[in-house]
Structure formats: C-alpha cells, structure tokens
Amino acid sequence: MDPSQAATITLVISSQAAPFPGLGPSGRLPRMLSAFSFRRKFAVCLSSSPSSNGVVFFGDGPYVFLPNNLDISKSLIYTPLILNPVSTAVSYFVGEPSSDYFIGVKGITINGKAVRLNTTLLSMDKQGRGGTKISTVNPYTAMETSIYRAVVNAFVKEISQVPRVPVVALFGACFNAKSISSSRVGPAVPQIDLVLQNKHVIWSIFGSNSMVQVSNDVLCVGFVDGGLNPRTSIVIGGHQIENNLLQFDVVTSRLGFSSSLILRQTACADFNFTSNA
C-alpha cells in the first residue's frame, strides 16, 4: 500500500467505554503504522455516545464527514508535540522517555478572560514533571489542584447567575441543568480555551466537552482535581476530546486538532465511509 494513503477502522468508544489503548509513541497505534508501512501519522476521533462509532485513520487524510462531505483535514490547527524525556509510566528504565503525547499549554482563558495560574506548572522540569499530556485512559481532564481550583472558580464566576447544586462524585462544581439553555455545541456555558504556543493558537472547549450531565437536573463541570503534586499538571481526558478530531504526526512531531466538530454540524460518528479516505 502507498504510505501516503489512509485507511480507516471504526471503534465504539466513549468516555464511559473501556479506555482506548495504545495512543502514545510506543503504543499499539504507532506500532501498527510501522507494521503496515503507513507514514507515521494517524488521527483519532472519539464518539460521545457508547452506541455510536468513532473512527481511527491510519496514514493521511482526507477526513470527510457527513452530512456536507466536509474534509476536516483542511481546517486543522497545529501545535508541536513535545517529548517528555522522562517516562511517566508506573515502572520504567532509567533514561527511558515518556510514551505519552505532550503539548505546550501556555495559559487558560474562560470567556476570553485569562485564568491566573502558576505558569511554572505548565512547563516540564528536568525531571519530566509538569506540562500537559493527552490521554484516552483518563475519562475526564485532571488538573493539578491549584490549576483546577483556579479554573473552576473562574468558570463559576462567569456563570454566577445559574443556581449551584450539591456536587456529585468527582466534580467540584455542579449546577441546576434546567437553568442552563442549550446551544449548537451543548450546554450554553462559558467557553474554555487552552492557549497553546501563542494567543492565536487555541483549543476551544465548548459545553458539550466541558459539562457532564449526571442526571436530568444536574450538570457538572467535567474536570477533576489531579492532586497537589501530580507527575503531569494537566491530563486532557476522554470527555474533553470527544467529537474532536486529533491528528498525530509522529514524523514531524505535530498535533493537528479540530476543536468540536459539533460546531461544524458534524460529529465523529458521521464519518463518510463512501469517501476516498
């Protein structure tokens, strides 16, 4: 097969499903790329529903989605993939690099307002601690405690007109769902932006990815407290990447991301299998 061609398989997976395996550089997907002589590039698009298929692309695009045959590969935003020189695994050999994919988050804004953070936590130190990685194993984005509290408090401030309700399970802020209207991209709540290499490169998180419906009456902010001294300061979890197409280019160390496909009136379950992808 021509390495420039893309092949596709589908997966039934969601934040409630079993973790999606092998995302890191030494994981199952990159090994499959090598075994089948694909260019070392793959893309992942996780469905938000356990009853709908997500899609994995091996090789390059196009990534064409219904109903309008929209090629998402033409509108991806790019940011560098960062190698953590120290493994983040539970057990590892000395000198072994991390098998996770890291990106350079420089700041976080909510409704366009910068959240005050200890920015030293956003960079990796010489021991490989800190920074931001992408995980399909974690169901929700986990943040170091001070980052988590700053983000949740800023979010709550921006939505102060909505009644709070008692917190549920993992989450630190929950609201009366009946007081939150719906929008094209989920609950109409403040937009959360991860600011990457500069202020013009942002990963936008809308209501469908920032909120979790825990009952008919309760919506919670879908981020969790990662503790006071986690190895990685921010771990972007499965719920936040649902219906986002992520393209991992291992050769050029670059991540392409779409932000929410729902904003473009499509979803990961709407891949067009009759296209030439």
PDB file of all heavy atoms in Angstrom, residues 224-245:
ATOM      1  N   VAL A 224     -11.516  17.301  36.844  1.00  0.00           N
ATOM      2  CA  VAL A 224     -11.310  16.735  38.172  1.00  0.00           C
ATOM      3  C   VAL A 224      -9.987  17.215  38.758  1.00  0.00           C
ATOM      4  O   VAL A 224      -9.068  17.620  38.033  1.00  0.00           O
ATOM      5  CB  VAL A 224     -11.348  15.189  38.138  1.00  0.00           C
ATOM      6  CG1 VAL A 224     -12.706  14.694  37.647  1.00  0.00           C
ATOM      7  CG2 VAL A 224     -10.239  14.621  37.268  1.00  0.00           C
ATOM      8  N   ASP A 225      -9.936  17.157  40.085  1.00  0.00           N
ATOM      9  CA  ASP A 225      -8.743  17.574  40.827  1.00  0.00           C
ATOM     10  C   ASP A 225      -7.693  16.470  40.742  1.00  0.00           C
ATOM     11  O   ASP A 225      -7.905  15.356  41.213  1.00  0.00           O
ATOM     12  CB  ASP A 225      -9.136  17.842  42.282  1.00  0.00           C
ATOM     13  CG  ASP A 225      -8.017  18.469  43.099  1.00  0.00           C
ATOM     14  OD1 ASP A 225      -6.842  18.383  42.686  1.00  0.00           O
ATOM     15  OD2 ASP A 225      -8.316  19.040  44.166  1.00  0.00           O
ATOM     16  N   GLY A 226      -6.537  16.794  40.158  1.00  0.00           N
ATOM     17  CA  GLY A 226      -5.478  15.811  39.978  1.00  0.00           C
ATOM     18  C   GLY A 226      -4.511  15.715  41.135  1.00  0.00           C
ATOM     19  O   GLY A 226      -3.537  14.951  41.068  1.00  0.00           O
ATOM     20  N   GLY A 227      -4.750  16.493  42.191  1.00  0.00           N
ATOM     21  CA  GLY A 227      -3.889  16.415  43.372  1.00  0.00           C
ATOM     22  C   GLY A 227      -2.847  17.522  43.422  1.00  0.00           C
ATOM     23  O   GLY A 227      -2.646  18.280  42.464  1.00  0.00           O
ATOM     24  N   LEU A 228      -2.147  17.598  44.558  1.00  0.00           N
ATOM     25  CA  LEU A 228      -1.207  18.682  44.808  1.00  0.00           C
ATOM     26  C   LEU A 228       0.126  18.529  44.085  1.00  0.00           C
ATOM     27  O   LEU A 228       0.769  19.508  43.763  1.00  0.00           O
ATOM     28  CB  LEU A 228      -0.952  18.800  46.319  1.00  0.00           C
ATOM     29  CG  LEU A 228      -2.063  19.463  47.133  1.00  0.00           C
ATOM     30  CD1 LEU A 228      -1.782  19.309  48.621  1.00  0.00           C
ATOM     31  CD2 LEU A 228      -2.188  20.943  46.760  1.00  0.00           C
ATOM     32  N   ASN A 229       0.539  17.321  43.840  1.00  0.00           N
ATOM     33  CA  ASN A 229       1.855  17.140  43.222  1.00  0.00           C
ATOM     34  C   ASN A 229       1.827  16.020  42.181  1.00  0.00           C
ATOM     35  O   ASN A 229       2.587  15.045  42.286  1.00  0.00           O
ATOM     36  CB  ASN A 229       2.889  16.835  44.316  1.00  0.00           C
ATOM     37  CG  ASN A 229       4.314  16.905  43.796  1.00  0.00           C
ATOM     38  OD1 ASN A 229       4.624  17.675  42.880  1.00  0.00           O
ATOM     39  ND2 ASN A 229       5.192  16.094  44.368  1.00  0.00           N
ATOM     40  N   PRO A 230       0.980  16.153  41.164  1.00  0.00           N
ATOM     41  CA  PRO A 230       0.916  15.087  40.161  1.00  0.00           C
ATOM     42  C   PRO A 230       2.146  15.116  39.263  1.00  0.00           C
ATOM     43  O   PRO A 230       2.826  16.143  39.136  1.00  0.00           O
ATOM     44  CB  PRO A 230      -0.341  15.440  39.359  1.00  0.00           C
ATOM     45  CG  PRO A 230      -0.414  16.931  39.441  1.00  0.00           C
ATOM     46  CD  PRO A 230       0.082  17.271  40.823  1.00  0.00           C
ATOM     47  N   ARG A 231       2.451  14.018  38.650  1.00  0.00           N
ATOM     48  CA  ARG A 231       3.596  13.978  37.740  1.00  0.00           C
ATOM     49  C   ARG A 231       3.360  14.888  36.529  1.00  0.00           C
ATOM     50  O   ARG A 231       4.285  15.524  36.025  1.00  0.00           O
ATOM     51  CB  ARG A 231       3.865  12.545  37.280  1.00  0.00           C
ATOM     52  CG  ARG A 231       5.082  12.437  36.392  1.00  0.00           C
ATOM     53  CD  ARG A 231       5.707  11.065  36.399  1.00  0.00           C
ATOM     54  NE  ARG A 231       6.997  11.106  35.754  1.00  0.00           N
ATOM     55  CZ  ARG A 231       8.126  11.483  36.322  1.00  0.00           C
ATOM     56  NH1 ARG A 231       8.118  11.845  37.593  1.00  0.00           N
ATOM     57  NH2 ARG A 231       9.266  11.497  35.665  1.00  0.00           N
ATOM     58  N   THR A 232       2.114  14.943  36.052  1.00  0.00           N
ATOM     59  CA  THR A 232       1.746  15.797  34.928  1.00  0.00           C
ATOM     60  C   THR A 232       0.685  16.781  35.408  1.00  0.00           C
ATOM     61  O   THR A 232      -0.306  16.373  36.011  1.00  0.00           O
ATOM     62  CB  THR A 232       1.207  14.960  33.749  1.00  0.00           C
ATOM     63  OG1 THR A 232       2.193  13.993  33.380  1.00  0.00           O
ATOM     64  CG2 THR A 232       0.885  15.845  32.559  1.00  0.00           C
ATOM     65  N   SER A 233       0.881  18.074  35.128  1.00  0.00           N
ATOM     66  CA  SER A 233      -0.006  19.097  35.692  1.00  0.00           C
ATOM     67  C   SER A 233      -1.399  19.060  35.105  1.00  0.00           C
ATOM     68  O   SER A 233      -2.385  19.273  35.816  1.00  0.00           O
ATOM     69  CB  SER A 233       0.612  20.486  35.487  1.00  0.00           C
ATOM     70  OG  SER A 233       1.839  20.588  36.175  1.00  0.00           O
ATOM     71  N   ILE A 234      -1.505  18.827  33.793  1.00  0.00           N
ATOM     72  CA  ILE A 234      -2.809  18.740  33.138  1.00  0.00           C
ATOM     73  C   ILE A 234      -2.826  17.488  32.271  1.00  0.00           C
ATOM     74  O   ILE A 234      -1.933  17.296  31.442  1.00  0.00           O
ATOM     75  CB  ILE A 234      -3.103  19.978  32.266  1.00  0.00           C
ATOM     76  CG1 ILE A 234      -3.092  21.265  33.110  1.00  0.00           C
ATOM     77  CG2 ILE A 234      -4.446  19.827  31.559  1.00  0.00           C
ATOM     78  CD1 ILE A 234      -3.262  22.535  32.281  1.00  0.00           C
ATOM     79  N   VAL A 235      -3.824  16.649  32.470  1.00  0.00           N
ATOM     80  CA  VAL A 235      -4.018  15.465  31.639  1.00  0.00           C
ATOM     81  C   VAL A 235      -5.361  15.621  30.938  1.00  0.00           C
ATOM     82  O   VAL A 235      -6.412  15.540  31.580  1.00  0.00           O
ATOM     83  CB  VAL A 235      -3.991  14.165  32.461  1.00  0.00           C
ATOM     84  CG1 VAL A 235      -4.176  12.962  31.538  1.00  0.00           C
ATOM     85  CG2 VAL A 235      -2.691  14.055  33.245  1.00  0.00           C
ATOM     86  N   ILE A 236      -5.333  15.900  29.646  1.00  0.00           N
ATOM     87  CA  ILE A 236      -6.570  16.098  28.890  1.00  0.00           C
ATOM     88  C   ILE A 236      -7.224  14.742  28.670  1.00  0.00           C
ATOM     89  O   ILE A 236      -6.653  13.860  28.032  1.00  0.00           O
ATOM     90  CB  ILE A 236      -6.289  16.796  27.550  1.00  0.00           C
ATOM     91  CG1 ILE A 236      -5.624  18.156  27.787  1.00  0.00           C
ATOM     92  CG2 ILE A 236      -7.585  16.970  26.751  1.00  0.00           C
ATOM     93  CD1 ILE A 236      -5.172  18.847  26.514  1.00  0.00           C
ATOM     94  N   GLY A 237      -8.431  14.572  29.213  1.00  0.00           N
ATOM     95  CA  GLY A 237      -9.083  13.272  29.220  1.00  0.00           C
ATOM     96  C   GLY A 237     -10.096  13.065  28.114  1.00  0.00           C
ATOM     97  O   GLY A 237     -10.377  13.959  27.299  1.00  0.00           O
ATOM     98  N   GLY A 238     -10.670  11.863  28.109  1.00  0.00           N
ATOM     99  CA  GLY A 238     -11.536  11.427  27.022  1.00  0.00           C
ATOM    100  C   GLY A 238     -12.742  12.311  26.773  1.00  0.00           C
ATOM    101  O   GLY A 238     -13.089  12.580  25.620  1.00  0.00           O
ATOM    102  N   HIS A 239     -13.418  12.764  27.840  1.00  0.00           N
ATOM    103  CA  HIS A 239     -14.627  13.569  27.645  1.00  0.00           C
ATOM    104  C   HIS A 239     -14.322  14.858  26.894  1.00  0.00           C
ATOM    105  O   HIS A 239     -15.121  15.318  26.073  1.00  0.00           O
ATOM    106  CB  HIS A 239     -15.263  13.891  29.000  1.00  0.00           C
ATOM    107  CG  HIS A 239     -16.558  14.630  28.897  1.00  0.00           C
ATOM    108  ND1 HIS A 239     -17.717  14.043  28.423  1.00  0.00           N
ATOM    109  CD2 HIS A 239     -16.890  15.923  29.179  1.00  0.00           C
ATOM    110  CE1 HIS A 239     -18.698  14.933  28.433  1.00  0.00           C
ATOM    111  NE2 HIS A 239     -18.220  16.073  28.888  1.00  0.00           N
ATOM    112  N   GLN A 240     -13.161  15.438  27.166  1.00  0.00           N
ATOM    113  CA  GLN A 240     -12.804  16.712  26.527  1.00  0.00           C
ATOM    114  C   GLN A 240     -12.383  16.542  25.071  1.00  0.00           C
ATOM    115  O   GLN A 240     -12.342  17.530  24.328  1.00  0.00           O
ATOM    116  CB  GLN A 240     -11.701  17.410  27.320  1.00  0.00           C
ATOM    117  CG  GLN A 240     -12.218  18.186  28.530  1.00  0.00           C
ATOM    118  CD  GLN A 240     -12.829  17.313  29.603  1.00  0.00           C
ATOM    119  OE1 GLN A 240     -12.248  16.306  30.005  1.00  0.00           O
ATOM    120  NE2 GLN A 240     -14.016  17.682  30.101  1.00  0.00           N
ATOM    121  N   ILE A 241     -12.047  15.321  24.637  1.00  0.00           N
ATOM    122  CA  ILE A 241     -11.646  15.146  23.240  1.00  0.00           C
ATOM    123  C   ILE A 241     -12.722  14.434  22.408  1.00  0.00           C
ATOM    124  O   ILE A 241     -12.507  14.184  21.221  1.00  0.00           O
ATOM    125  CB  ILE A 241     -10.299  14.409  23.115  1.00  0.00           C
ATOM    126  CG1 ILE A 241     -10.365  13.003  23.705  1.00  0.00           C
ATOM    127  CG2 ILE A 241      -9.189  15.228  23.759  1.00  0.00           C
ATOM    128  CD1 ILE A 241      -9.053  12.237  23.533  1.00  0.00           C
ATOM    129  N   GLU A 242     -13.878  14.145  23.018  1.00  0.00           N
ATOM    130  CA  GLU A 242     -14.967  13.566  22.230  1.00  0.00           C
ATOM    131  C   GLU A 242     -15.411  14.553  21.147  1.00  0.00           C
ATOM    132  O   GLU A 242     -15.510  15.763  21.377  1.00  0.00           O
ATOM    133  CB  GLU A 242     -16.148  13.217  23.131  1.00  0.00           C
ATOM    134  CG  GLU A 242     -15.892  12.022  24.031  1.00  0.00           C
ATOM    135  CD  GLU A 242     -16.987  11.810  25.048  1.00  0.00           C
ATOM    136  OE1 GLU A 242     -17.919  12.645  25.101  1.00  0.00           O
ATOM    137  OE2 GLU A 242     -16.908  10.822  25.796  1.00  0.00           O
ATOM    138  N   ASN A 243     -15.683  14.027  19.966  1.00  0.00           N
ATOM    139  CA  ASN A 243     -16.096  14.825  18.812  1.00  0.00           C
ATOM    140  C   ASN A 243     -15.080  15.915  18.463  1.00  0.00           C
ATOM    141  O   ASN A 243     -15.424  16.952  17.899  1.00  0.00           O
ATOM    142  CB  ASN A 243     -17.494  15.423  19.021  1.00  0.00           C
ATOM    143  CG  ASN A 243     -18.568  14.356  18.914  1.00  0.00           C
ATOM    144  OD1 ASN A 243     -18.502  13.480  18.054  1.00  0.00           O
ATOM    145  ND2 ASN A 243     -19.557  14.423  19.785  1.00  0.00           N
ATOM    146  N   ASN A 244     -13.838  15.657  18.809  1.00  0.00           N
ATOM    147  CA  ASN A 244     -12.698  16.456  18.349  1.00  0.00           C
ATOM    148  C   ASN A 244     -11.815  15.525  17.528  1.00  0.00           C
ATOM    149  O   ASN A 244     -11.491  14.427  17.983  1.00  0.00           O
ATOM    150  CB  ASN A 244     -11.876  16.997  19.518  1.00  0.00           C
ATOM    151  CG  ASN A 244     -12.522  18.158  20.235  1.00  0.00           C
ATOM    152  OD1 ASN A 244     -12.027  19.266  20.232  1.00  0.00           O
ATOM    153  ND2 ASN A 244     -13.668  17.901  20.876  1.00  0.00           N
ATOM    154  N   LEU A 245     -11.433  15.930  16.343  1.00  0.00           N
ATOM    155  CA  LEU A 245     -10.500  15.105  15.573  1.00  0.00           C
ATOM    156  C   LEU A 245      -9.081  15.522  15.919  1.00  0.00           C
ATOM    157  O   LEU A 245      -8.727  16.706  15.838  1.00  0.00           O
ATOM    158  CB  LEU A 245     -10.747  15.257  14.072  1.00  0.00           C
ATOM    159  CG  LEU A 245      -9.962  14.251  13.205  1.00  0.00           C
ATOM    160  CD1 LEU A 245     -10.801  13.783  12.021  1.00  0.00           C
ATOM    161  CD2 LEU A 245      -8.650  14.842  12.694  1.00  0.00           C
TER     162      LEU A 245
END
